[in-house]
């Protein structure tokens, strides 16, 4: 395969999530695609947040945040949350917040899966901060749980690619991980 | 929506990638799903690697690694790469390596997109290390580039969910990001 050198600013496929934090005394929400699991035990998650965002201040001030996975039925609202800044508009009115153990990690009632996270590490990078949070509690809509597993495809979770700025649904199951390759020679 | 408390060990949808590193003087490859963009400018990427892996040693020793996105046509081989440890088997024979600027970041010829990364930060977590790498060079198969954007769907990139350990293809385009929500009220 012949490959060409392209721009270094390459993005990878991302799960669409909404990060919640308390900012100026009220709930604020921001659409985030820079997210991954970071540690196995205890379970931790890492998110990359630009330093110009209100959410960035809220996470640093309180050391707590939430991660919520929306359904594609709410795509327009989720996209809106990613366009409008909390500095300009009160986004707390857009969702119903519920709380688990942490009182500064607003969980979104309307999202089928919500994680409450306690800040464990923060890594200062040039334009963004990588926040690593321990998952303290996870809450899911029962109807999307199959055999103790949250089913993202059934829950209508979706994906983002950049720079084409496209949202994608899940496709078909194409294989079983840690299984299909067992007999590969 | 009524949500139930579930196990904190929740995984999020992941793009299937292969991390390359030089280990014991030869190329080694490992399937990785814990990956995200981490910084905007310069472009950086973060990967979570368990401390028991040979790749973990290679990245720390050399300060360089690659990230490659396979096509689903190679699903069996990619799954195999994730099952078999480099401590037990020489995985260098499984791919053809090519190199960009960095001489310790083996890029995979067979993958339509490969990134060479220079280690910028490493965050020690209990079971994993989060490696943050600056993307020094990006190389893509020309036929998957549309308007300066690498088209993952066309390239046959795919996704992983856990604990159901399922590989998924991309589904349909369902929206335009930073656009569809503009007029949301």
């Amino acid at each position: 395969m012949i490959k060409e050198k392209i721009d270094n600013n390459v993005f990878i496929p991302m799960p669409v999530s909404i990060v919640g934090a308390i900012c100026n005394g009220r709930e604020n929400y921001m659409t985030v695609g820079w997210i991954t699991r970071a540690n196995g035990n205890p379970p931790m998650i890492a998110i990359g947040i630009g330093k110009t965002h209100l959410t960035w201040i809220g996470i640093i001030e309180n050391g707590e945040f939430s991660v919520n996975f929306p359904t594609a039925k709410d795509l327009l609202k989720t996209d809106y949350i990613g366009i409008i800044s909390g500095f300009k508009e009160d986004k707390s009115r857009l969702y119903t917040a519920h709380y688990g153990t942490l009182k500064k990690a607003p969980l979104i009632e309307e999202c089928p899966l919500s994680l409450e996270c306690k800040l464990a590490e923060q890594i200062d990078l040039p334009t963004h901060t990588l926040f690593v949070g321990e998952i303290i509690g996870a809450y899911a809509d029962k109807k999307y749980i199959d055999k103790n597993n949250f089913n993202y495809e059934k829950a209508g979770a979706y994906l983002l690619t950049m720079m084409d700025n496209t949202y994608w649904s899940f496709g078909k199951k194409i294989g079983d991980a840690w299984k299909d390759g067992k007999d590969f020679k």
Side-chain angles (χ1 to χ4, degrees), chain A:
Chain A
M1 188 182 296
I2 296 163
K3 288 192 266 191
E4 293 208 343
K5 192 155 174 30
I6 59 170
D7 190 324
N8 291 351
N9 193 31
V10 169
F11 293 88
I12 67 175
M14 315 166 211
V16 175
S17 74
I18 303 172
V19 169
I22 299 296
C23 305
N24 298 330
R26 65 191 179 206
E27 291 94 4
N28 188 59
Y29 306 105
M30 175 191 176
T31 311
V32 167
W34 295 12
I35 181 165
T36 181
R37 270 291 293 263
N39 191 63
N41 185 20
M44 292 181 178
I45 211 155
I47 55 172
I49 304 275
K51 295 179 190 180
T52 58
H53 290 287
L54 181 59
T55 300
W56 186 89
I57 300 172
I59 295 173
I60 287 181
E61 279 184 357
N62 300 303
E64 298 180 2
F65 62 92
S66 73
V67 174
N68 308 271
F69 292 92
T71 157
K73 282 181 211 151
D74 283 337
L75 188 151
L76 296 190
K77 196 200 273 194
T78 307
D79 192 51
Y80 179 77
I81 289 290
I83 292 171
I84 299 297
S85 167
F87 286 117
K88 290 191 182 153
E89 188 177 320
D90 173 10
K91 291 194 263 187
S92 69
R93 65 181 179 84
L94 291 169
Y95 295 107
T96 307
H98 68 108
Y99 287 86
T101 308
L102 306 177
K103 298 311 168 198
K104 299 292 176 73
L107 306 166
I108 297 177
E109 182 83 31
E110 290 85 347
C111 289
L113 175 65
S114 295
L115 316 176
E116 49 172 343
C117 301
K118 194 170 179 58
L119 187 61
E121 300 275 351
Q122 70 187 68
I123 301 93
D124 188 49
L125 300 173
T127 58
H128 287 62
T129 296
L130 200 56
F131 293 110
V132 180
E134 181 178 343
I135 303 172
I136 298 296
Y139 305 86
D141 186 335
K142 197 180 174 178
K143 67 175 176 285
Y144 302 123
I145 296 176
D146 294 333
K147 298 173 193 154
N148 290 321
N149 184 69
F150 182 78
N151 188 322
Y152 283 92
E153 191 263 346
K154 204 187 272 186
Y158 55 111
L159 309 157
L160 169 66
T161 54
M162 287 169 72
M163 303 292 288
D164 57 352
N165 298 348
T166 297
Y167 292 123
W168 301 87
S169 63
F170 271 65
K172 288 182 296 188
K173 174 176 176 169
I174 57 170
D176 290 305
W178 292 281
K179 190 176 169 192
D180 286 350
K182 256 184 193 158
D183 301 319
F184 178 81
K185 296 293 169 206

